[in-house]
Amino acid sequence: MDFQKTVFVKSAPTVGDAPYPRKREVLLMGRSNVGKSSLINALTNQKLAHSSKKAGKTVFLNYFLVDSSFYLVDSPGYGYTSYGHRLDDSFSDMMEGYFKSNRKGMALLLVDSRRGLKDEERELIGLLKEEKMGHAIVFTKADTLKQSEMAALKKEVAALDDTDVLFSYADGRSVNEIRGYIARRIKDVRCLD
Ligand SMILES: Nc1nc2c(ncn2[C@@H]2O[C@H](COP(=O)(O)OP(=O)(O)OP(=O)(O)O)[C@@H](O)[C@H]2O)c(=O)[nH]1
Ligand SMILES: [Mg+2]
Protein backbone atom coordinates (compact mmCIF):
# COMPACT_ATOMS: atom_id res chain seq x y z
CA MET A 1 0.00 0.00 0.00
CA ASP A 2 1.60 3.24 -1.14
CA PHE A 3 0.08 6.14 0.80
CA GLN A 4 1.98 8.61 -1.37
CA LYS A 5 -0.19 7.55 -4.32
CA THR A 6 -3.21 9.39 -2.99
CA VAL A 7 -5.55 11.63 -4.95
CA PHE A 8 -8.37 13.90 -3.87
CA VAL A 9 -11.59 12.58 -5.35
CA LYS A 10 -14.55 14.50 -4.03
CA SER A 11 -15.95 16.86 -1.43
CA ALA A 12 -19.35 15.51 -0.39
CA PRO A 13 -21.87 17.73 1.46
CA THR A 14 -23.66 14.59 2.70
CA VAL A 15 -22.83 10.90 2.68
CA GLY A 16 -25.35 10.53 -0.17
CA ASP A 17 -22.91 12.47 -2.36
CA ALA A 18 -20.01 10.10 -1.65
CA PRO A 19 -18.08 8.94 -4.70
CA TYR A 20 -18.33 5.83 -6.80
CA PRO A 21 -16.95 3.27 -7.24
CA ARG A 22 -17.45 2.28 -3.65
CA LYS A 23 -14.34 1.26 -1.80
CA ARG A 24 -13.44 0.51 1.76
CA GLU A 25 -13.29 3.68 3.86
CA VAL A 26 -11.34 5.01 6.81
CA LEU A 27 -13.27 7.90 8.40
CA LEU A 28 -11.26 10.39 10.43
CA MET A 29 -13.41 11.86 13.18
CA GLY A 30 -12.70 14.30 15.94
CA ARG A 31 -13.17 17.71 17.51
CA SER A 32 -12.40 20.77 15.39
CA ASN A 33 -8.70 21.54 15.34
CA VAL A 34 -7.71 18.09 16.64
CA GLY A 35 -5.56 17.52 13.54
CA LYS A 36 -7.63 15.36 11.15
CA SER A 37 -6.58 17.18 7.99
CA SER A 38 -2.98 17.39 9.20
CA LEU A 39 -2.92 13.63 9.75
CA ILE A 40 -4.19 12.99 6.21
CA ASN A 41 -1.42 15.21 4.87
CA ALA A 42 1.16 13.42 7.02
CA LEU A 43 -0.04 9.95 6.00
CA THR A 44 -0.03 10.80 2.30
CA ASN A 45 3.05 13.01 2.49
CA GLN A 46 1.20 15.61 0.44
CA LYS A 47 -0.65 18.84 1.13
CA LEU A 48 -4.01 17.41 0.07
CA ALA A 49 -6.28 18.33 2.97
CA HIS A 50 -6.62 21.93 4.11
CA SER A 51 -5.48 22.39 7.66
CA SER A 52 -5.67 25.58 9.62
CA LYS A 53 -5.01 27.11 13.02
CA LYS A 54 -8.64 28.22 12.98
CA ALA A 55 -11.17 25.55 13.88
CA GLY A 56 -13.90 24.66 11.39
CA LYS A 57 -11.72 24.54 8.30
CA THR A 58 -13.15 21.28 6.93
CA VAL A 59 -16.83 21.60 6.13
CA PHE A 60 -17.67 18.57 3.98
CA LEU A 61 -16.73 14.91 3.86
CA ASN A 62 -13.59 14.88 1.72
CA TYR A 63 -12.71 11.64 -0.03
CA PHE A 64 -9.07 10.81 -0.80
CA LEU A 65 -8.35 7.62 -2.73
CA VAL A 66 -5.20 5.85 -1.52
CA ASP A 67 -3.32 3.75 -4.08
CA SER A 68 -6.60 2.98 -5.97
CA SER A 69 -7.48 0.88 -2.96
CA PHE A 70 -9.49 2.64 -0.23
CA TYR A 71 -10.71 6.09 0.77
CA LEU A 72 -9.36 8.18 3.60
CA VAL A 73 -12.32 10.40 4.54
CA ASP A 74 -11.71 13.76 6.20
CA SER A 75 -14.72 15.04 8.13
CA PRO A 76 -15.81 18.34 9.67
CA GLY A 77 -14.95 18.62 13.34
CA TYR A 78 -17.44 18.97 16.14
CA GLY A 79 -17.21 21.47 18.95
CA TYR A 80 -16.91 25.20 18.54
CA THR A 81 -15.34 27.21 15.78
CA SER A 82 -13.33 30.34 16.46
CA TYR A 83 -16.38 32.28 15.24
CA GLY A 84 -18.44 30.77 18.04
CA HIS A 85 -20.80 28.70 15.88
CA ARG A 86 -21.71 25.28 17.16
CA LEU A 87 -20.93 22.56 14.70
CA ASP A 88 -22.60 19.85 16.73
CA ASP A 89 -25.90 19.75 14.84
CA SER A 90 -24.32 19.45 11.43
CA PHE A 91 -21.88 16.90 12.81
CA SER A 92 -24.66 14.75 14.30
CA ASP A 93 -26.65 14.94 11.06
CA MET A 94 -23.61 13.89 9.08
CA MET A 95 -22.81 10.98 11.40
CA GLU A 96 -26.42 9.83 11.43
CA GLY A 97 -26.37 9.82 7.65
CA TYR A 98 -23.10 7.97 7.65
CA PHE A 99 -24.33 5.24 10.01
CA LYS A 100 -27.63 4.88 8.13
CA SER A 101 -25.80 4.43 4.83
CA ASN A 102 -24.18 1.15 3.99
CA ARG A 103 -20.88 2.94 3.48
CA LYS A 104 -19.52 1.99 6.86
CA GLY A 105 -15.86 1.29 6.98
CA MET A 106 -13.60 1.84 9.92
CA ALA A 107 -13.07 5.00 11.91
CA LEU A 108 -10.12 6.69 13.52
CA LEU A 109 -11.35 8.82 16.40
CA LEU A 110 -8.77 11.55 16.91
CA VAL A 111 -8.38 12.96 20.39
CA ASP A 112 -6.14 15.89 21.36
CA SER A 113 -3.57 14.51 23.84
CA ARG A 114 -3.61 17.78 25.73
CA ARG A 115 -7.37 17.69 26.28
CA GLY A 116 -7.93 13.97 26.78
CA LEU A 117 -11.34 12.33 26.46
CA LYS A 118 -14.30 14.64 26.97
CA ASP A 119 -18.05 13.89 26.95
CA GLU A 120 -18.23 14.09 23.14
CA GLU A 121 -15.46 11.51 22.69
CA ARG A 122 -17.05 9.21 25.26
CA GLU A 123 -20.35 9.53 23.44
CA LEU A 124 -18.74 8.82 20.08
CA ILE A 125 -16.95 5.74 21.41
CA GLY A 126 -20.33 4.48 22.66
CA LEU A 127 -21.86 5.15 19.24
CA LEU A 128 -19.05 3.37 17.36
CA LYS A 129 -19.42 0.35 19.63
CA GLU A 130 -23.20 0.37 19.22
CA GLU A 131 -22.87 0.57 15.44
CA LYS A 132 -20.21 -2.15 15.57
CA MET A 133 -17.95 0.03 13.48
CA GLY A 134 -14.29 -0.98 13.70
CA HIS A 135 -12.30 1.86 15.17
CA ALA A 136 -9.13 2.98 16.89
CA ILE A 137 -8.30 6.00 19.02
CA VAL A 138 -5.50 8.25 17.79
CA PHE A 139 -4.11 10.77 20.27
CA THR A 140 -2.81 13.72 18.26
CA LYS A 141 -0.29 16.41 19.17
CA ALA A 142 1.49 13.78 21.26
CA ASP A 143 4.92 15.37 20.56
CA THR A 144 5.51 16.45 24.11
CA LEU A 145 3.93 13.52 25.95
CA LYS A 146 5.96 11.56 28.47
CA GLN A 147 5.67 7.76 28.57
CA SER A 148 3.72 8.04 31.83
CA GLU A 149 1.21 10.42 30.21
CA MET A 150 0.78 8.06 27.26
CA ALA A 151 0.13 5.21 29.67
CA ALA A 152 -2.46 7.30 31.53
CA LEU A 153 -4.31 8.11 28.27
CA LYS A 154 -4.26 4.42 27.27
CA LYS A 155 -5.70 3.50 30.63
CA GLU A 156 -8.47 6.07 30.23
CA VAL A 157 -9.46 4.51 26.90
CA ALA A 158 -9.17 0.94 28.23
CA ALA A 159 -11.76 1.74 30.89
CA LEU A 160 -14.29 2.46 28.12
CA ASP A 161 -13.31 0.39 25.15
CA ASP A 162 -11.01 -2.51 24.26
CA THR A 163 -9.85 -0.86 21.09
CA ASP A 164 -6.39 0.02 19.76
CA VAL A 165 -4.70 3.25 20.81
CA LEU A 166 -2.19 5.07 18.61
CA PHE A 167 -0.24 8.30 19.06
CA SER A 168 0.45 10.86 16.39
CA TYR A 169 3.21 13.47 16.46
CA ALA A 170 3.68 16.59 14.37
CA ASP A 171 7.14 15.51 13.26
CA GLY A 172 5.83 12.41 11.54
CA ARG A 173 7.78 9.84 13.58
CA SER A 174 4.55 8.01 14.29
CA VAL A 175 3.17 8.27 10.77
CA ASN A 176 4.59 4.98 9.51
CA GLU A 177 3.07 3.14 12.43
CA ILE A 178 -0.36 4.57 11.62
CA ARG A 179 0.06 3.73 7.92
CA GLY A 180 0.90 0.14 8.86
CA TYR A 181 -2.05 -0.04 11.20
CA ILE A 182 -4.50 1.17 8.53
CA ALA A 183 -3.03 -1.15 5.89
CA ARG A 184 -3.51 -4.16 8.22
CA ARG A 185 -6.96 -3.26 9.48
CA ILE A 186 -8.51 -2.16 6.18
CA LYS A 187 -8.40 -5.77 4.98
CA ASP A 188 -10.99 -6.72 7.63
CA VAL A 189 -13.41 -3.98 6.61
CA ARG A 190 -16.53 -5.18 4.88
CA CYS A 191 -16.31 -4.26 1.21
CA LEU A 192 -19.09 -1.88 0.27
CA ASP A 193 -19.69 -3.04 -3.30
N1 LIG B 1 1.87 20.21 17.73
C1 LIG B 1 1.06 19.61 16.88
N2 LIG B 1 0.17 20.35 16.18
C2 LIG B 1 -0.65 19.73 15.32
C3 LIG B 1 -0.62 18.30 15.12
N3 LIG B 1 -1.58 17.99 14.20
C4 LIG B 1 -2.18 19.14 13.87
N4 LIG B 1 -1.65 20.20 14.52
C5 LIG B 1 -2.05 21.61 14.40
O1 LIG B 1 -3.41 21.73 14.80
C6 LIG B 1 -4.12 22.71 14.02
C7 LIG B 1 -5.38 22.14 13.43
O2 LIG B 1 -5.07 21.12 12.51
P1 LIG B 1 -6.11 20.63 11.39
O3 LIG B 1 -5.46 19.45 10.75
O4 LIG B 1 -6.57 21.74 10.53
O5 LIG B 1 -7.33 20.16 12.32
P2 LIG B 1 -8.74 19.53 11.85
O6 LIG B 1 -9.08 18.48 12.86
O7 LIG B 1 -8.69 19.12 10.43
O8 LIG B 1 -9.71 20.78 12.06
P3 LIG B 1 -11.17 21.09 11.38
O9 LIG B 1 -11.04 20.90 9.91
O10 LIG B 1 -11.42 22.48 11.82
O11 LIG B 1 -12.14 20.12 12.00
C8 LIG B 1 -3.10 23.18 12.96
O12 LIG B 1 -2.56 24.42 13.41
C9 LIG B 1 -2.05 22.09 12.96
O13 LIG B 1 -0.78 22.56 12.58
C10 LIG B 1 0.34 17.55 15.89
O14 LIG B 1 0.45 16.30 15.80
N5 LIG B 1 1.14 18.25 16.74
MG1 LIG C 1 -9.85 19.68 8.84
Side-chain angles (χ1 to χ4, degrees):
M1 193 79 69
D2 187 351
F3 278 76
Q4 304 210 38
K5 287 193 192 142
T6 300
V7 289
F8 169 70
V9 176
K10 191 172 181 185
S11 212
T14 72
V15 71
D17 305 301
Y20 285 89
R22 293 184 170 186
K23 303 264 186 199
R24 293 175 171 91
E25 298 183 1
V26 180
L27 177 69
L28 276 80
M29 304 164 69
R31 182 179 295 277
S32 281
N33 220 39
V34 70
K36 299 174 293 295
S37 300
S38 301
L39 183 58
I40 288 186
N41 290 338
L43 290 170
T44 60
N45 200 23
Q46 296 182 60
K47 282 214 175 337
L48 289 171
H50 300 295
S51 66
S52 166
K53 281 200 171 61
K54 280 191 186 155
K57 182 73 185 169
T58 306
V59 188
F60 294 147
L61 290 165
N62 290 317
Y63 284 77
F64 301 92
L65 184 59
V66 182
D67 207 359
S68 310
S69 172
F70 69 93
Y71 294 112
L72 280 174
V73 186
D74 196 5
S75 73
Y78 51 84
Y80 292 84
T81 70
S82 49
Y83 313 107
H85 297 145
R86 275 188 82 123
L87 293 180
D88 298 54
D89 286 350
S90 59
F91 183 80
S92 316
D93 289 352
M94 189 203 74
M95 282 314 297
E96 204 176 304
Y98 196 87
F99 287 135
K100 273 194 197 142
S101 78
N102 64 345
R103 299 193 64 96
K104 277 187 244 173
M106 62 176 274
L108 297 180
L109 175 59
L110 275 59
V111 182
D112 191 324
S113 302
R114 298 161 197 178
R115 299 177 63 111
L117 299 173
K118 302 282 185 213
D119 288 350
E120 290 95 329
E121 283 78 29
R122 292 172 189 278
E123 212 173 289
L124 275 173
I125 288 173
L127 197 61
L128 290 165
K129 282 165 73 176
E130 206 177 291
E131 297 287 339
K132 296 191 171 46
M133 186 168 178
H135 60 278
I137 312 295
V138 180
F139 284 104
T140 60
K141 311 187 188 182
D143 356 273
T144 56
L145 285 188
K146 298 185 192 117
Q147 288 296 329
S148 57
E149 291 168 321
M150 288 190 181
L153 289 172
K154 277 188 178 174
K155 210 168 152 190
E156 215 181 310
V157 172
L160 290 174
D161 197 3
D162 64 349
T163 196
D164 299 307
V165 175
L166 300 159
F167 291 91
S168 128
Y169 316 94
D171 69 0
R173 268 184 296 152
S174 56
V175 169
N176 255 332
E177 199 182 312
I178 301 175
R179 285 188 188 125
Y181 181 82
I182 293 173
R184 283 196 306 280
R185 289 289 308 276
I186 195 78
K187 296 193 192 105
D188 302 331
V189 170
R190 186 170 58 94
C191 196
L192 298 157
D193 273 324

CSV table of all heavy atoms in Angstrom, one decimal, residues 5 33 78 90 95 116-117 119-120 129 139 153 173:
chain,number,residue,atom,x,y,z
A,5,LYS,N,0.6,7.6,-3.1
A,5,LYS,CA,-0.2,7.6,-4.3
A,5,LYS,C,-1.6,7.8,-3.9
A,5,LYS,O,-2.5,7.0,-4.1
A,5,LYS,CB,-0.1,6.2,-5.0
A,5,LYS,CG,1.2,5.9,-5.7
A,5,LYS,CD,1.1,4.7,-6.6
A,5,LYS,CE,2.5,4.3,-7.1
A,5,LYS,NZ,2.6,2.8,-7.1
A,33,ASN,N,-10.1,21.1,15.0
A,33,ASN,CA,-8.7,21.5,15.3
A,33,ASN,C,-7.9,20.4,16.0
A,33,ASN,O,-6.8,20.6,16.4
A,33,ASN,CB,-8.7,22.7,16.3
A,33,ASN,CG,-7.7,23.7,16.0
A,33,ASN,OD1,-7.4,24.0,14.8
A,33,ASN,ND2,-7.0,24.3,17.0
A,78,TYR,N,-16.4,18.5,15.3
A,78,TYR,CA,-17.4,19.0,16.1
A,78,TYR,C,-16.8,19.9,17.2
A,78,TYR,O,-15.6,20.0,17.3
A,78,TYR,CB,-18.2,17.8,16.8
A,78,TYR,CG,-17.2,16.8,17.5
A,78,TYR,CD1,-16.8,17.0,18.8
A,78,TYR,CD2,-16.8,15.7,16.8
A,78,TYR,CE1,-15.9,16.1,19.4
A,78,TYR,CE2,-15.9,14.8,17.4
A,78,TYR,CZ,-15.5,15.0,18.7
A,78,TYR,OH,-14.6,14.1,19.3
A,90,SER,N,-24.7,19.9,12.8
A,90,SER,CA,-24.3,19.4,11.4
A,90,SER,C,-23.5,18.2,11.6
A,90,SER,O,-23.6,17.3,10.8
A,90,SER,CB,-23.6,20.5,10.6
A,90,SER,OG,-22.4,20.9,11.3
A,95,MET,N,-23.1,12.3,10.9
A,95,MET,CA,-22.8,11.0,11.4
A,95,MET,C,-24.0,10.1,11.3
A,95,MET,O,-23.9,8.9,11.0
A,95,MET,CB,-22.4,11.1,12.9
A,95,MET,CG,-21.0,11.5,13.1
A,95,MET,SD,-19.8,10.7,12.0
A,95,MET,CE,-20.0,9.0,12.6
A,116,GLY,N,-7.4,15.3,26.3
A,116,GLY,CA,-7.9,14.0,26.8
A,116,GLY,C,-9.4,13.7,26.3
A,116,GLY,O,-9.9,14.5,25.5
A,117,LEU,N,-10.0,12.7,26.9
A,117,LEU,CA,-11.3,12.3,26.5
A,117,LEU,C,-12.4,13.2,27.2
A,117,LEU,O,-12.3,13.3,28.4
A,117,LEU,CB,-11.6,10.9,26.8
A,117,LEU,CG,-10.8,9.8,26.2
A,117,LEU,CD1,-11.1,8.4,26.8
A,117,LEU,CD2,-11.0,9.8,24.7
A,119,ASP,N,-16.7,14.5,27.1
A,119,ASP,CA,-18.0,13.9,27.0
A,119,ASP,C,-18.3,13.5,25.5
A,119,ASP,O,-18.8,12.4,25.2
A,119,ASP,CB,-19.2,14.8,27.4
A,119,ASP,CG,-19.2,15.0,28.9
A,119,ASP,OD1,-18.5,14.2,29.6
A,119,ASP,OD2,-19.9,15.9,29.4
A,120,GLU,N,-17.9,14.4,24.6
A,120,GLU,CA,-18.2,14.1,23.1
A,120,GLU,C,-17.5,12.8,22.7
A,120,GLU,O,-18.1,12.0,22.0
A,120,GLU,CB,-17.8,15.2,22.2
A,120,GLU,CG,-18.6,16.5,22.3
A,120,GLU,CD,-18.0,17.5,23.3
A,120,GLU,OE1,-17.4,17.1,24.3
A,120,GLU,OE2,-18.2,18.7,23.1
A,129,LYS,N,-19.2,1.7,19.1
A,129,LYS,CA,-19.4,0.3,19.6
A,129,LYS,C,-20.8,-0.2,19.3
A,129,LYS,O,-21.0,-1.3,18.8
A,129,LYS,CB,-19.2,0.3,21.2
A,129,LYS,CG,-17.7,0.4,21.5
A,129,LYS,CD,-17.5,0.7,23.0
A,129,LYS,CE,-17.9,-0.4,23.9
A,129,LYS,NZ,-17.5,-0.1,25.3
A,139,PHE,N,-4.4,9.5,19.5
A,139,PHE,CA,-4.1,10.8,20.3
A,139,PHE,C,-3.2,11.6,19.5
A,139,PHE,O,-2.0,11.2,19.1
A,139,PHE,CB,-3.5,10.4,21.6
A,139,PHE,CG,-4.5,9.9,22.6
A,139,PHE,CD1,-4.6,8.6,22.9
A,139,PHE,CD2,-5.4,10.8,23.2
A,139,PHE,CE1,-5.6,8.1,23.8
A,139,PHE,CE2,-6.4,10.4,24.1
A,139,PHE,CZ,-6.5,9.0,24.4
A,153,LEU,N,-3.3,8.0,29.3
A,153,LEU,CA,-4.3,8.1,28.3
A,153,LEU,C,-4.8,6.7,27.8
A,153,LEU,O,-6.0,6.5,27.6
A,153,LEU,CB,-3.8,8.9,27.1
A,153,LEU,CG,-3.5,10.4,27.3
A,153,LEU,CD1,-2.8,11.0,26.2
A,153,LEU,CD2,-4.9,11.1,27.6
A,173,ARG,N,7.1,11.1,13.2
A,173,ARG,CA,7.8,9.8,13.6
A,173,ARG,C,6.8,8.7,13.7
A,173,ARG,O,7.1,7.5,13.5
A,173,ARG,CB,8.4,10.1,15.0
A,173,ARG,CG,9.9,10.5,14.9
A,173,ARG,CD,10.5,10.6,16.3
A,173,ARG,NE,9.8,11.6,17.1
A,173,ARG,CZ,9.7,11.6,18.4
A,173,ARG,NH1,10.2,10.6,19.0
A,173,ARG,NH2,9.0,12.5,19.0
